[in-house]
Amino acid sequence: AGMGRTVVELFYDVVSPYAWLGFEVLCRYQHIWNIDLRFRPAFLGGIMQATGNKPPAMLPKRAEYILKDVKRMSKYYQVPIQMAKADFQRVLGTATLGAMRFITAIDMTQPQYVEPLSREFWMRFWSQHEDISQPENMLAAAGQAGLSSDVAQKVLEMISSPAVKNRLKETTEEAIKYGAFGMPAVVAHVNGEPHLFFGSDRLELLASVIGE
């Protein structure tokens, strides 16, 4: 980390389209702002369960709003999210635990690939509507992100290991400790104080707190 860079942690799960928006904006600003951006793959299901949160789309009026909101935001930020009403059911029915363990295993072994790999999972889940819980889709995502097939295969074998499971669990618990109840959860460390920002629409406040 550079001298005096503000550490900014991004806790995310690829199941969340808002996390994708927040991720892309922070990726674009990581070399403009004086920040040390740290990707923290976590498990949204674990956060929801621990905090008693419910998927926002369970409220019909809010679900209606989310469809319009995500469409506007994806256009504004140029992030290719394709979202339809059917996706709410798809999200509830799809386990991203495997994908988040896969990203965690990469974070532990080849951290330089975390950014392209995470983006690839979001692309597949939110643009191409693939089932990213399938091993062949995880391997394809890894290949697209630049990993060799040997490494990708090893990583796939790692996802059932206690080390990877524990790391994902610990990261998720850390997010909860900071006060997270959903995703994305962005934590900026300013003068030894953690500042939590929820969602992808608080980034100008983040900028203000870190002096940008």
Side-chain angles (χ1 to χ4, degrees):
M3 281 299 291
R5 279 183 182 272
T6 304
V7 171
V8 175
E9 299 182 84
L10 169 63
F11 293 90
Y12 66 93
D13 184 325
V14 295
V15 76
S16 162
Y18 286 105
W20 190 11
L21 291 161
F23 169 88
E24 292 298 357
V25 175
L26 285 171
C27 284
R28 289 167 198 174
Y29 279 92
Q30 66 179 325
H31 304 298
I32 299 168
W33 290 346
N34 190 27
I35 61 173
D36 172 14
L37 180 59
R38 298 190 184 170
F39 300 114
R40 305 299 309 276
F43 182 50
L44 182 55
I47 290 179
M48 299 294 262
Q49 207 179 346
T51 58
N53 197 352
K54 302 259 184 298
M58 287 176 87
L59 185 68
K61 277 290 173 212
R62 190 157 182 198
E64 253 171 63
Y65 174 77
I66 288 172
L67 282 177
K68 293 189 188 110
D69 188 47
V70 167
K71 197 173 175 178
R72 280 189 300 228
M73 287 187 82
S74 68
K75 190 177 167 200
Y76 180 76
Y77 288 114
Q78 300 289 294
V79 178
I81 302 169
Q82 303 292 329
M83 196 180 194
K85 211 171 177 175
D87 286 319
F88 295 133
Q89 277 315 111
R90 196 170 72 97
V91 165
L92 293 174
T94 302
T96 53
L97 188 56
M100 294 319 294
R101 282 183 181 155
F102 195 95
I103 295 169
T104 298
I106 287 289
D107 191 29
M108 292 165 77
T109 54
Q110 316 258 334
Q112 69 275 26
Y113 289 106
V114 169
E115 183 185 325
L117 180 68
S118 301
R119 183 174 289 116
E120 193 55 38
F121 273 120
W122 268 305
M123 284 296 286
R124 286 167 184 271
F125 191 73
W126 283 108
S127 286
Q128 295 151 15
H129 298 268
E130 276 185 21
D131 180 357
I132 56 171
S133 66
Q134 296 304 314
E136 62 272 21
N137 289 342
M138 288 189 208
L139 291 173
Q144 200 69 42
L147 285 143
S148 73
S149 53
D150 293 1
V151 172
Q153 195 57 55
K154 279 198 188 81
V155 171
L156 189 62
E157 285 156 21
M158 280 176 73
I159 69 174
S160 51
S161 72
V164 170
K165 289 180 177 175
N166 289 338
R167 165 68 87 90
L168 182 61
K169 199 165 171 268
E170 280 160 19
T171 306
T172 304
E173 282 164 2
E174 225 173 296
I176 295 163
K177 231 177 18 228
Y178 282 131
F181 51 87
M183 296 261 188
V186 179
V187 178
H189 297 267
V190 183
N191 302 327
E193 252 339 270
H195 295 258
L196 171 74
F197 299 89
F198 169 66
S200 56
D201 54 354
R202 287 291 179 271
L203 298 172
E204 66 277 20
L205 273 177
L206 165 70
S208 151
V209 166
I210 65 177
E212 291 292 347

